[in-house]
Amino acid sequence: MEIEQLENTATAVRRDILRMVAAVNSGHPGGSLGCTDFLVALYFEVMNLKKDADGTPIFDMDGRDEDLFFLSNGHISPVFYSVLARAGYFPIAELATFRKLDSRLQGHPTTAEHLPGIRIASGSLGQGLSVASGAAYSKKLNGDKSHVYVLMGDGEQQEGQVWEAAQFAPNKKLGNLTAIIDLNHAQIDGTTDNVNSNRDLAAKYRAFGWFVDEMEGNDIADVIRTLKKAQENPEVPTMILMHTEMGFGVEYMVGNYKWHGTAPNADQLTQALNGLPLSIGVTDY
């Protein structure tokens, strides 16, 4: 896809996010909006995914001979669901069932719902890096040359299990693993610095043996460049510190941690949607 097409898709995803959380007055718009450009670039440009003759994704839990993605910070499920739907994993219209009874689109993704594209139940923070490390190790043992990606939050770095996996991956020389931290400096109770400062994450991961890089997460071109560069490190895993702004794309939400888990009301939704016009050929659900 051209960058302009990816940006148009990102705008549609942001509209999906806002309408989904507003419809049920529940969900996490801030981090979802901030990570939209990353997930659009990952699914529409970077990852090698199984598809049938007409380009529709073929999903199976085994995941052999294709790139895998794991969402660790599962509370940003709105952006994940929207990207999966717009990539063809399930009907876009199903986004309207978000967080409703008997929906496959629960507040945190679950495998019990058998929603195509969902490989793990996530939301209990700190577990995604362990799962991704295990998948990458399995691929290495099986001679599978495809890549594994995992997204974590910066507040999530306060979890102990993250650091057990951070030690494991370099020791097993998992060069087929790329982890990304959404560095928006915000979590539900305030800024990460005020809640429990992560201090120098780059130095920490380098000390564990990771190759560390950085990228602008709200710049699709930079996301694509950096993710593709990460595939060039066959002997060590890559940790990317992704600089984003919480609420990116919605002026009154940008940089405000209070939108971590707060849905916009009707007037705020209208204001936000007016600032995110759809392009020709892109539709709302």
Side-chain angles (χ1 to χ4, degrees):
M1 269 193 182
E2 299 292 332
I3 295 298
E4 183 178 1
Q5 291 176 286
L6 293 169
E7 289 174 343
N8 289 341
T9 300
T11 296
V13 169
R14 286 190 166 96
R15 291 176 65 89
D16 291 343
I17 292 165
L18 292 162
R19 296 174 72 227
M20 289 162 67
V21 299
V24 290
N25 192 32
S26 181
H28 295 77
S32 294
L33 292 165
C35 288
T36 296
D37 300 301
F38 161 71
L39 278 167
V40 167
L42 186 69
Y43 271 86
F44 287 88
E45 187 64 27
V46 176
M47 283 204 299
N48 177 34
L49 301 168
K50 291 180 182 175
K51 298 180 181 180
D52 63 18
D54 67 1
T56 301
I58 301 171
F59 179 75
D60 65 77
M61 289 296 284
D62 187 59
R64 284 179 179 266
D65 300 315
E66 68 172 334
D67 293 342
L68 304 181
F69 170 71
F70 297 98
L71 177 67
S72 189
N73 49 333
H75 55 275
I76 65 167
S77 62
V79 63
F80 194 23
Y81 293 147
S82 173
V83 168
L84 288 175
R86 292 190 175 273
Y89 283 88
F90 56 87
I92 293 173
E94 194 170 350
L95 297 176
T97 71
F98 175 67
R99 278 184 177 253
K100 294 181 179 179
L101 291 176
D102 299 321
S103 171
R104 296 194 296 176
L105 280 62
Q106 292 301 306
H108 290 176
T110 72
T111 52
E113 307 297 338
H114 303 293
L115 186 67
I118 304 300
R119 298 191 177 278
I120 59 168
S122 59
S124 295
L125 295 177
Q127 299 177 8
L129 188 59
S130 296
V131 175
S133 296
Y137 192 35
S138 176
K139 283 184 176 292
K140 182 176 180 179
L141 292 174
N142 289 331
D144 184 338
K145 302 299 183 182
S146 46
H147 210 80
V148 178
Y149 299 88
V150 58
L151 175 65
M152 301 180 284
D154 52 1
E156 189 174 2
Q157 304 308 297
Q158 299 159 2
E159 299 281 352
Q161 185 172 333
V162 170
W163 298 99
E164 295 179 44
Q167 178 174 290
F168 175 87
N171 286 339
K172 298 301 180 182
K173 298 183 178 180
L174 300 183
N176 59 341
L177 172 63
T178 297
I180 300 96
I181 297 174
D182 177 22
L183 208 63
N184 63 14
H185 304 287
Q187 56 193 107
I188 195 165
D189 289 328
T191 67
T192 52
D193 283 346
N194 286 336
V195 174
N196 190 15
S197 178
N198 288 312
R199 302 188 186 277
D200 192 341
L201 282 174
K204 288 180 180 180
Y205 276 98
R206 287 193 183 101
F208 274 79
W210 292 67
F211 173 78
V212 178
D213 207 347
E214 301 189 34
M215 70 183 178
E216 294 301 322
N218 298 129
D219 180 338
I220 288 178
D222 193 44
V223 170
I224 293 170
R225 282 193 300 269
T226 310
L227 290 178
K228 289 186 175 180
K229 177 183 174 184
Q231 299 171 1
E232 302 170 1
N233 298 304
E235 294 299 320
V236 295
T238 295
M239 176 59 66
I240 299 174
L241 304 182
M242 180 173 72
H243 301 279
T244 70
E245 291 189 90
M246 177 165 285
F248 188 84
V250 178
E251 186 175 356
Y252 63 81
M253 290 187 182
V254 173
N256 189 340
Y257 76 86
K258 293 182 179 179
W259 290 104
H260 172 95
T262 303
N265 61 33
D267 289 340
Q268 291 168 330
L269 174 62
T270 298
Q271 181 183 347
L273 294 178
N274 286 342
L276 292 165
L278 283 170
S279 62
I280 295 174
V282 182
T283 59
D284 281 332
Y285 63 78

